[in-house]
Amino acid sequence: MEMTHVSESAGTTKLFVAGVNEMMQRKSVTKRWLSEQSGVSLRAIRQLLNNKSASCTLMTTDAIAEALGTTTFEILRKGKRVSEPV
């Protein structure tokens, strides 16, 4: 089965990463906690959050979102808000 990628665009991935980072700070959780709760490897979490990954699968974003108690859409919205200039 072919995996569906959230985006081939670095922009959407950056919004997702910004949103995840914001939520992780707000909830005071670590990358290790996120990995354990989401079932996504710590290596994959680190690569994504350190901008070493250009895209990720919808399955991955959904697992991360669920671990954070939200949806992929909400993470993208939060990422857009925190990325906008003040």
Side-chain angles (χ1 to χ4, degrees), residues 17-84:
V17 168
V20 169
N21 281 324
E22 172 70 18
M23 294 190 84
M24 287 176 64
Q25 282 183 321
R26 188 168 289 199
K27 293 177 177 277
S28 298
V29 299
T30 65
K31 291 174 185 171
R32 181 173 304 281
W33 179 91
L34 186 58
S35 171
E36 290 169 355
Q37 296 302 309
S38 67
V40 176
S41 74
L42 182 56
R43 180 174 181 243
I45 296 283
R46 285 180 177 151
Q47 285 180 331
L48 179 65
L49 298 182
N50 292 330
N51 295 309
K52 305 258 190 230
S53 179
S55 66
C56 59
T57 66
L58 188 55
M59 201 162 101
T60 299
T61 60
D62 284 348
I64 290 170
E66 186 174 329
L68 292 170
T70 190
T71 64
T72 298
F73 178 76
E74 287 301 318
I75 290 174
L76 289 169
R77 281 187 40 194
K78 185 167 290 294
K80 184 173 184 193
R81 281 196 303 268
V82 298
S83 297
E84 290 176 342

